[in-house]
Amino acid sequence: MIQRRKVIIGSLGVAAAATAAGCSSGGSKANGDNTVFTESVANNEVVAPPTAAPVEVTVTPADKATGISPAKPIAVTVTGGTLKSVAVTAGKTKVDGELKSDGSWESTDDLAYDKTYKVVVTTTDSLGASSTKTTTFKTIEPAHTVDVTFQANGLASIKTGKTYGAGQPVIVAFSRAVDKNAAEKAIQITTSPSVEGKFYWADSTTVHWRPAKYWTAGTTIKVKVDALGVRLGKGLYGAKNASTNFKIGRQLIAIADNRTHVTKVYIDGKLVRTMKSSLGRGGGTTGANGQHISFWTAGGPHVVLSKERYHTMSSASYGVNDPSNPNYYVSDNVEYCTRITYSGEFLHAAPWNGSLGRANLSHGCINLSMSDAKWVYENFILGDVVDVKNSPRKLPIYNGLGDWTVPFDKYGA
């Protein structure tokens, strides 16, 4: 503001004061006390230029980090500014991501093992000035990676979205022997309706899971294995995540009775077919490697493994390969064959067997008439249950899917 100020001038400075007053804009006369009033020039205040708040960028994994899991997402957060772009590369490979509602960024692609990733973050401050931050990190370098697949049984894989029988266990197969506890923790099984289940390791690479009772009709099963980045043994890591799903159709259970020579088929608890049968004749022989071979049909619940319109059956398949042996045989093109064990037990047509419904004459298979075998072939699916009653020989858990031969409280023990 303009201020009026009073200037006192001594006798020796009157002329100078007068001159100064004459040069002054808007000056006034001097009064008798030698006082001269002048007006000063407005004050010029210096305003400091605006400054921006510091921008802080946080990148996870941290710069120069090593041994990072490829399953762990890259995260970028910014304070004091605005995130403009994020570029993640490993050589020529780019990693996609998305900007989240809170202004942060997260990768959406899985990473790869043994790769060095570069993260370039561009930001702007409150005044619009751009800056960049670059970090790098390296993922785990495994000695070996382990693949995951899903099986219906040892002869067939599970087909995602398909329908299976009430005896079908969940089977997860690893490409290498793994740490069982780590593998089980990586497996997530969700069923509707929900049921309790247990794991059983068939060997060091294959694990089964089943509920306490046969699946009810219409059950859906979803299986997910979060293996990527998971340590599954010394130097072993899951190659990638895997998932599948399947459903249970009608609940079909066939009861084949060794004593009555009859096989009855129940669908959802209702008897739908009664079939005259001839099971294993009993007794046994010695195989080429000295092993004992039984001709009883194994007792207990079996699960359907495969179906073949024609199958050549030979005693050589279980160890009797000497044509001079009285137990040696070859039967070409046996029709309507439904397999229930790995060792070669089938339900199949046996038009040559005149004792269906009266006597057990087979080498272990369940002989049926042509029409009954055809009906079984056309109506049974993988996972259906064939429970053999009153046989003196028990089906071992490893011969096919003998999972249901073990009480639930002892399953996997």
Side-chain angles (χ1 to χ4, degrees):
M1 63 186 289
I2 305 293
Q3 294 180 337
R4 187 175 298 277
R5 64 183 180 179
K6 186 176 182 181
V7 182
I8 308 299
I9 304 175
S11 59
L12 295 177
V14 173
T19 303
C23 294
S24 175
S25 173
S28 62
K29 280 186 180 179
N31 56 23
D33 63 358
N34 297 325
T35 300
V36 179
F37 290 94
T38 65
E39 291 181 347
S40 65
V41 180
N43 294 333
N44 293 321
E45 297 181 4
V46 178
V47 179
T51 59
V55 178
E56 294 185 6
V57 177
T58 303
V59 179
T60 306
D63 190 26
K64 303 299 189 297
T66 59
I68 300 301
S69 167
K72 185 177 181 179
I74 304 166
V76 179
T77 59
V78 176
T79 57
T82 303
L83 183 60
K84 189 175 181 181
S85 66
V86 179
V88 181
T89 55
K92 295 182 179 180
T93 301
K94 295 181 180 180
V95 177
D96 288 334
E98 62 181 4
L99 189 65
K100 306 180 78 174
S101 59
D102 61 0
S104 64
W105 183 94
E106 187 171 279
S107 59
T108 53
D109 290 340
D110 288 332
L111 307 183
Y113 287 109
D114 193 20
K115 296 290 183 182
T116 297
Y117 287 88
K118 181 171 72 172
V119 183
V120 180
V121 181
T122 303
T123 59
T124 56
D125 63 19
S126 58
L127 298 179
S130 296
S131 61
T132 62
K133 178 176 181 177
T134 301
T135 63
T136 61
F137 66 89
K138 191 174 188 299
T139 53
I140 297 167
E141 182 180 356
H144 300 284
T145 57
V146 180
D147 292 317
V148 177
T149 54
F150 302 101
Q151 297 179 344
N153 54 67
L155 304 174
S157 61
I158 278 283
K159 295 182 178 180
T160 297
K162 297 298 183 180
T163 299
Y164 292 85
Q168 180 62 56
V170 173
I171 304 176
V172 181
F174 298 90
S175 60
R176 290 178 177 269
V178 294
D179 178 275
K180 295 177 181 179
N181 288 331
E184 288 181 15
K185 290 178 181 178
I187 300 171
Q188 300 176 37
I189 300 172
T190 306
T191 69
S192 181
S194 179
V195 294
E196 178 189 3
K198 287 184 178 181
F199 286 109
Y200 151 69
W201 284 85
D203 52 45
S204 60
T205 65
T206 309
V207 62
H208 297 202
W209 188 94
R210 52 152 276 210
K213 300 179 180 179
Y214 298 137
W215 300 106
T216 58
T219 299
T220 59
I221 300 104
K222 296 180 180 179
V223 189
K224 183 179 180 183
V225 184
D226 290 327
L228 180 66
V230 175
R231 189 174 184 269
L232 296 174
K234 187 176 181 180
L236 300 179
Y237 287 84
K240 60 182 179 180
N241 298 331
S243 63
T244 191
N245 65 82
F246 61 95
K247 59 186 177 181
I248 305 302
R250 72 288 176 274
Q251 189 188 72
L252 185 151
I253 299 173
I255 307 295
D257 195 314
N258 186 69
R259 291 178 185 168
T260 63
H261 320 297
V262 170
T263 299
K264 296 181 178 181
V265 182
Y266 298 84
I267 293 181
D268 296 330
K270 180 181 179 180
L271 179 64
V272 297
R273 197 172 185 93
T274 300
M275 305 179 292
K276 295 179 179 180
S277 309
S278 180
L279 281 69
R281 69 191 188 192
T285 188
T286 301
N289 297 318
Q291 75 275 29
H292 175 70
I293 299 169
S294 174
F295 293 134
W296 290 105
T297 303
H302 300 58
V303 175
V304 173
L305 307 175
S306 67
K307 297 190 297 181
E308 300 173 49
R309 178 65 179 83
Y310 297 96
H311 182 78
T312 296
M313 298 184 178
S314 169
S315 60
S317 65
Y318 53 79
V320 178
N321 48 23
D322 182 359
S324 64
N325 188 316
N327 294 298
Y328 176 85
Y329 67 90
V330 177
S331 297
D332 291 324
N333 296 325
V334 177
E335 295 192 68
Y336 300 114
C337 302
T338 301
R339 181 187 284 269
I340 56 174
T341 66
Y342 296 143
S343 62
E345 291 179 344
F346 292 81
L347 289 82
H348 65 81
W352 59 83
N353 190 336
S355 295
L356 298 179
R358 295 188 295 109
N360 295 323
L361 300 180
S362 82
H363 292 88
C365 289
I366 300 175
N367 288 181
L368 302 170
S369 68
M370 186 69 77
S371 61
D372 284 338
K374 182 176 185 290
W375 185 88
V376 168
Y377 178 84
E378 292 176 344
N379 288 276
F380 281 30
I381 61 175
L382 270 60
D384 281 342
V385 177
V386 179
D387 194 353
V388 176
K389 302 291 188 180
N390 299 315
S391 172
R393 181 168 74 92
K394 182 180 178 181
L395 175 70
I397 191 171
Y398 55 81
N399 189 7
L401 298 180
D403 299 65
W404 304 97
T405 63
V406 179
F408 188 64
D409 60 346
K410 296 181 179 179
Y411 186 73

